[in-house]
Amino acid sequence: MTSPQRARATMSDVAAASGVSPKTVSRVVNGVGYVSAETLEAVRTAIDQLGFRRNEFARQLRQGTTATIGLVLEDVADPFYSVLSRAVEDVALAQDYLLLSASSAEDPTRSRRIIESFSSRGAAGLIIAPATDTDSAFLRAELDAGCSMVFVDRPVPGIRADTVLADNRGGAAAGTQHLIARGHRRIAFFGDSASVYTATERLAGYRDALTTAGIEHDDRLVVMAPPHADATAALIDTVQKLDDPPTAIFAGNNRWSVVLLRYLKEHGPRPLPAFLGFDDFELSDVLDPGITVIAQDPAAMGQLAAELLLRRVSGDDRPTQHIQLETRLIARGSGEIAGPFNSS
Amino acid sequence: MTSPQRARATMSDVAAASGVSPKTVSRVVNGVGYVSAETLEAVRTAIDQLGFRRNEFARQLRQGTTATIGLVLEDVADPFYSVLSRAVEDVALAQDYLLLSASSAEDPTRSRRIIESFSSRGAAGLIIAPATDTDSAFLRAELDAGCSMVFVDRPVPGIRADTVLADNRGGAAAGTQHLIARGHRRIAFFGDSASVYTATERLAGYRDALTTAGIEHDDRLVVMAPPHADATAALIDTVQKLDDPPTAIFAGNNRWSVVLLRYLKEHGPRPLPAFLGFDDFELSDVLDPGITVIAQDPAAMGQLAAELLLRRVSGDDRPTQHIQLETRLIARGSGEIAGPFNSS
DNA sequence: GTGAAAGCGCTAACAC
DNA sequence: GTGTTAGCGCTTTCAC
């Protein structure tokens, strides 16, 4: 049983032990300024002996800022965000920043609480995938207080800050067009709640493609709801049991893809309808047929956002940047099932 | 253009604005001690007006601790850990704790750096999925310095601290037994590097079951390697091309499951061998056949660890606890493919 | 119910 | 090259 040495050594302790002033210890610890090889050695020894570690609070209180950035997203357990999160972390750590992260769970109140905590803990900047209805006046106040922000995945209306977004509309249009080109005229679209930015953008892209192809819009083929609701089965059923059911399905995000694929396996019409999902996911290539997707690049999104933020934090005050990431269609089979009007 | 009010208001500012002393403001902010309704009102108004927010560093410098816990895991992008992470976060937030998290990437140096940062930022406690070869002397020093720790998924040899682990050995034995019962005698095992605790435990469970059934161990059927290596295809090939190839495959973790299933889809012998994976994963039920797994419960692991840690942090000093979570076999089809010696 | 004084551990500014 | 002084913003202690 070692007796726990409750009190951490301070710089003064180290200074006393090595016969120099606290300031010299500070110089050694931070590698700033000149220190003679001799005293350096003495101080280092004392540091090791006492197990000294710099007290970050004191340092930060003095300096007013921290090498910490905050990440707020909808749910770390969602693969899209967990990959993004890891990318942010890697950039942060490479520049000696630490990452605070939390899931807003799409709850504006929780989201605000998180942002306040991060901010009052001196996060130098924040990367935010804003929850729907995030209070923008509040965010603006934070921005004005000098807290840099980069928004990922979704913008906040009325907030001037850097954004890194995917080309949701263009990607969804390309996906829909892909299905149309294979003879589909009745294409169902399942997206998240209409209040979610990405969902609405993707729906718009879907509609763009239908319009371009001169296909009538049938609202009964469109479902906009959170995919984790228990009601999903009923929603899907309603669409599938139309007199004129869809011959192709477009899933608006990876959560919907999973729910729909599960449904199709159990209750799906045979032969299976064509299927295309927005956002790639693990095992999409292992399913049979492989799932055709409009792939986003969450790692790139996280990396770019982190780099942008860290530049801002270090004083870059160039005009607000809006980065749009291209999406990429990956054909694996499910989206290449021909529709009834296929003429090829 | 609102001019950014660079400096946040302090308690003194609020005190001055409302004509009281800083200490009274402190009482109001922290809801401690008695304050007359009148002054309370005045102080609150000043706080809102000035946009005051308590400076956590100063508070923490004074108090010596923070309502923050740190989480160190292998990789947040791994679904097992991302689910665990979310569970920890929910428990933490519910008790007004913030979560610092970082991925060790199985690198003991990175891991140590992360733990040091967390600790010197005053994390009240840490939840750690220790990287292999984590320096235990270092951890012990941290523990002695008063930083509570709970280890999840893996223990650290020689460290006395709470652990929350899955029944890796028992689960793997049950899985192997399941395959044996269906007539398999040649069962391949693909696990992570032998240096990884869970990998070795699961291998031991696999061997337990073979021994119990009186089946000879064939080391050529055992692969222990990190599943993200580029060499996986070659490793799998070697096993598959044995004169007497396996009729069943046991994947030692979800990363290996994905790699193996991808291989089997493309190059697998037909009919497919039986397949069983340790740890459940998304879409395991949507694949055809559904993938039989030994399911762990990462959310429960995270929740229990967080609750345990927060109790420790609040002064609970009962003896070290070791929680073992049962695993659960979920039969979905892939593990029920009969082997050549099936007699049922 | 409220205030004054001191100090947490560090570093910026300046002196030597 | 190294030391001194002062103070970051808060809370603890104790006095009123």
Side-chain angles (χ1 to χ4, degrees):
Chain A
M1 269 280 155
T2 39
S3 77
Q5 53 173 88
R6 278 231 130 269
R8 275 224 174 275
T10 70
M11 279 196 180
S12 306
D13 297 337
V14 176
S18 48
V20 298
S21 79
K23 178 65 205 174
T24 300
V25 178
S26 168
R27 279 192 260 263
V28 172
V29 170
N30 299 300
V32 176
Y34 288 93
V35 177
S36 77
E38 203 175 346
T39 48
L40 187 89
E41 179 58 24
V43 171
R44 288 237 171 98
T45 309
I47 287 178
D48 285 349
Q49 221 148 43
L50 297 169
F52 167 79
R53 180 109 36 85
R54 184 175 63 191
N55 178 322
E56 291 294 327
F57 302 139
R59 175 189 173 78
Q60 287 156 5
L61 173 58
R62 196 62 251 239
Q63 302 203 137
T65 185
T66 44
T68 304
I69 62 176
L71 173 62
V72 187
L73 26 73
E74 193 182 333
D75 181 7
V76 240
D78 179 326
F80 177 83
Y81 289 116
S82 70
V83 169
L84 189 152
S85 176
R86 175 64 198 272
V88 169
E89 193 197 313
D90 285 347
V91 174
L93 237 65
Q95 303 195 28
D96 274 317
Y97 272 74
L98 232 55
L99 185 64
L100 278 163
S101 76
S103 309
S104 69
E106 266 306 299
D107 171 350
T109 311
R110 176 163 164 162
S111 165
R112 179 174 172 152
R113 228 184 97 207
I114 292 168
I115 294 172
E116 279 179 345
S117 309
F118 284 3
S119 160
S120 66
R121 269 159 219 240
L126 300 176
I127 295 176
I128 305 178
T132 311
D133 298 326
T134 295
D135 179 355
S136 65
F138 158 66
L139 288 178
R140 201 171 302 113
E142 290 295 330
L143 274 167
D144 287 350
C147 180
S148 304
M149 295 186 193
V150 174
F151 294 94
V152 289
D153 196 39
R154 314 165 180 181
V156 178
I159 293 283
R160 284 182 56 80
D162 299 317
T163 56
V164 183
L165 309 176
D167 178 13
N168 292 291
R169 186 163 186 167
T176 309
Q177 159 57 26
H178 187 76
L179 295 169
I180 294 171
R182 271 143 200 88
H184 297 280
R185 294 291 174 275
R186 305 228 4 111
I187 303 171
F189 182 88
F190 293 84
D192 207 332
S193 304
S195 58
V196 174
Y197 169 81
T198 48
T200 320
E201 284 292 298
R202 293 170 195 171
L203 176 61
Y206 157 85
R207 288 195 168 137
D208 289 347
L210 294 185
T211 304
T212 304
I215 299 172
E216 63 159 339
H217 296 212
D218 183 346
D219 282 346
R220 295 172 307 164
L221 293 177
V222 173
V223 172
M224 299 294 277
H228 35 79
D230 293 329
T232 46
L235 291 171
I236 304 171
D237 258 346
T238 309
V239 173
Q240 285 300 325
K241 299 209 167 117
L242 291 174
D243 287 344
D244 196 1
T247 62
I249 295 179
F250 194 151
N253 62 42
N254 70 39
R255 303 297 83 202
W256 262 116
S257 288
V258 171
V259 168
L260 285 162
L261 290 169
R262 192 166 285 138
Y263 176 94
L264 288 175
K265 181 181 180 190
E266 283 172 29
H267 315 288
R270 295 291 184 278
L272 284 167
F275 186 96
L276 197 146
F278 201 107
D279 193 21
D280 201 3
F281 52 90
E282 192 161 80
L283 295 178
S284 56
D285 59 328
V286 176
L287 287 167
D288 194 18
I291 306 302
T292 296
V293 299
I294 303 296
Q296 306 190 72
D297 191 342
M301 192 178 274
Q303 191 192 326
L304 286 167
E307 288 169 352
L308 199 50
L309 182 69
L310 289 175
R311 254 184 277 131
R312 292 297 185 197
V313 162
S314 341
D316 174 356
D317 57 355
R318 280 175 294 182
T320 307
Q321 283 196 43
H322 299 287
I323 298 178
Q324 174 160 289
L325 294 175
E326 287 312 299
T327 58
R328 193 164 53 95
L329 192 146
I330 305 178
R332 296 201 179 98
S334 74
E336 289 67 44
I337 295 172
F341 303 96
N342 184 28
S343 52
S344 71
Chain B
M1 270 286 151
T2 38
S3 75
Q5 53 172 88
R6 275 232 127 272
R8 276 226 174 274
T10 71
M11 278 197 180
S12 307
D13 296 338
V14 176
S18 48
V20 298
S21 79
K23 176 65 211 177
T24 300
V25 178
S26 170
R27 279 193 260 263
V28 172
V29 170
N30 298 301
V32 176
Y34 288 94
V35 177
S36 77
E38 205 174 347
T39 47
L40 187 89
E41 178 59 23
V43 172
R44 287 236 171 100
T45 309
I47 287 177
D48 285 351
Q49 223 149 41
L50 296 170
F52 167 78
R53 181 109 34 83
R54 184 174 63 192
N55 179 323
E56 292 293 327
F57 302 140
R59 175 190 173 79
Q60 288 157 5
L61 173 58
R62 201 59 247 241
Q63 303 202 136
T65 183
T66 53
T68 304
I69 62 176
L71 173 63
V72 187
L73 26 72
E74 192 183 334
D75 180 7
V76 239
D78 179 327
F80 177 83
Y81 290 116
S82 70
V83 169
L84 189 152
S85 176
R86 175 63 199 271
V88 169
E89 194 197 313
D90 284 348
V91 173
L93 237 64
Q95 303 195 30
D96 274 316
Y97 273 73
L98 233 56
L99 185 64
L100 278 163
S101 75
S103 309
S104 69
E106 264 310 295
D107 171 350
T109 311
R110 176 162 165 162
S111 166
R112 180 174 170 153
R113 228 184 98 206
I114 292 168
I115 294 172
E116 280 179 345
S117 309
F118 285 2
S119 160
S120 67
R121 270 161 218 240
L126 300 175
I127 295 177
I128 305 178
T132 310
D133 299 325
T134 296
D135 179 354
S136 65
F138 159 66
L139 288 178
R140 200 170 303 112
E142 290 294 330
L143 274 168
D144 287 349
C147 180
S148 304
M149 295 186 193
V150 174
F151 293 94
V152 290
D153 196 38
R154 314 164 180 182
V156 178
I159 293 284
R160 286 183 55 79
D162 300 318
T163 56
V164 183
L165 310 176
D167 179 13
N168 292 291
R169 186 163 186 166
T176 308
Q177 159 56 24
H178 187 77
L179 295 169
I180 294 171
R182 270 143 201 88
H184 297 280
R185 295 290 175 275
R186 301 216 26 96
I187 303 171
F189 182 88
F190 293 83
D192 207 333
S193 305
S195 57
V196 174
Y197 169 81
T198 48
T200 321
E201 284 293 299
R202 292 170 196 170
L203 176 61
Y206 157 84
R207 289 196 167 135
D208 289 346
L210 293 186
T211 304
T212 303
I215 299 172
E216 62 160 340
H217 296 211
D218 182 347
D219 282 347
R220 294 172 307 162
L221 293 177
V222 173
V223 173
M224 299 293 277
H228 34 79
D230 293 330
T232 46
L235 291 172
I236 304 170
D237 258 347
T238 308
V239 174
Q240 285 300 325
K241 301 215 167 109
L242 291 175
D243 287 343
D244 196 1
T247 62
I249 295 179
F250 194 151
N253 62 41
N254 69 39
R255 303 296 82 202
W256 262 116
S257 289
V258 171
V259 168
L260 286 162
L261 290 169
R262 192 166 286 139
Y263 176 93
L264 288 175
K265 181 181 179 190
E266 282 172 31
H267 315 291
R270 295 291 184 278
L272 284 168
F275 186 95
L276 196 147
F278 202 106
D279 193 22
D280 202 3
F281 51 90
E282 192 162 81
L283 295 178
S284 56
D285 59 328
V286 176
L287 287 167
D288 193 18
I291 306 303
T292 296
V293 298
I294 304 295
Q296 307 190 70
D297 191 343
M301 193 177 274
Q303 191 191 326
L304 286 166
E307 288 169 353
L308 198 51
L309 182 69
L310 289 176
R311 255 184 276 130
R312 291 297 184 196
V313 163
S314 341
D316 174 356
D317 56 356
R318 279 175 296 183
T320 306
Q321 281 195 43
H322 299 287
I323 299 178
Q324 174 160 290
L325 294 176
E326 287 312 299
T327 57
R328 193 163 52 96
L329 192 147
I330 305 178
R332 296 202 180 98
S334 74
E336 289 67 45
I337 295 172
F341 302 96
N342 185 28
S343 52
S344 69

